[in-house]
Amino acid sequence: MKWSAVIAAAGSGSRLGAQQPKALVELGGRALIVHAVTSMQDAGVSDCIVTAPAGHIAQFQQVFEDAGLRVTLVPGGATRQESVALGLAHVQTPAVLVHDAARCLTPVAMIQRVQQAIESGSRSAIPALPVVDTIKRVSARSTVSETLQRNELRAVQTPQGFLTETLRQAHEFGAQLSASEASAAPDDAALVELMGIDVVVVDGEPEALKITTPFDLVVAQQLYAQRTTSERTN
Ligand code: CTP
Ligand code: MG
């Protein structure tokens, strides 16, 4: 099956607080977006569509040129979902992965698990990890209102995989939701779920962590250093 990837990289990274868009922050001398595109290509994805902040297109172009990577660059939107929709318009393959540049260390084997689920007949598949902390619902007054059953909970990662047709339907459906209904669909798979289509869950990986805060960047730097050391010694 031929695959495209839409890589959402149009955010500013306000929580990371760098002086540049988060996707351009470097890890081991390469921008996060370069790591993300490379992992998609290693998983056999033929077309990478990257959504970048509208004011930084030329800068992204330069980064890809320097890295020798061929991608389709698209200006992103005001929200992640808008950015994904703008990227999705350029997809020409029957299957698509939706990924975050911020999950730059996603192992290729995990990407392939998502692809495998779609290739074996599912319309939508997401990687997820068991939750280790106990999760509670907390009221506005900072008191506990509910303790959730941990064994039923998963922390969801990207890439999320879809038949392109299904993701297009989901985005059309999402565009018609009211603002409060849309808040129940924070990711692409949630739109598919709201349409009543099964979303298959495959095993995620701790290494596929999303770099959100400066702490996450420190963790990712350590992981990356370890990965490159073990590649050198193997
Ligand atoms: N993203 C996007 N378009 C937006 C907002 C976010 O493509 N309008 C992308 C980000 O670039 C990121 C992914 O969606 O790769 C996940 O979002 P997040 O981790 O929240 O990144 P930012 O929005 O950049 O960070 P912050 O929320 O801290 O500003
Ligand atoms: Mg954000």
Side-chain angles (χ1 to χ4, degrees), residues 11-15 22 80 210:
S12 61
S14 53
R15 286 168 290 179
K22 181 160 72 176
R80 180 183 180 278
K210 181 159 80 73

Side-chain angles (χ1 to χ4, degrees), residues 123-124 166 169 189 191-199:
R123 292 164 73 180
S124 168
T166 301
Q169 281 170 4
L191 292 170
V192 173
E193 175 199 331
L194 285 178
M195 284 198 308
I197 295 172
D198 277 349
V199 177

Side-chain angles (χ1 to χ4, degrees), residues 15-108:
R15 286 168 290 179
L16 188 61
Q19 297 308 307
Q20 55 182 338
K22 181 160 72 176
L24 296 181
V25 168
E26 289 195 353
L27 182 68
R30 294 195 300 164
L32 302 189
I33 186 63
V34 169
H35 288 283
V37 169
T38 305
S39 65
M40 288 292 137
Q41 292 183 342
D42 288 348
V45 168
S46 39
D47 301 330
C48 283
I49 297 137
V50 174
T51 72
H56 292 83
I57 299 293
Q59 220 179 333
F60 273 65
Q61 211 146 28
Q62 188 64 51
V63 165
F64 291 125
E65 201 179 302
D66 292 348
L69 294 173
R70 276 213 7 234
V71 309
T72 302
L73 253 178
V74 179
T79 62
R80 180 183 180 278
Q81 193 185 326
E82 253 180 70
S83 296
V84 173
L86 290 165
L88 183 58
H90 293 263
V91 172
Q92 292 178 327
T93 54
V96 59
L97 293 166
V98 179
H99 196 34
D100 288 337
R103 295 190 192 269
C104 60
L105 294 182
T106 302
V108 171

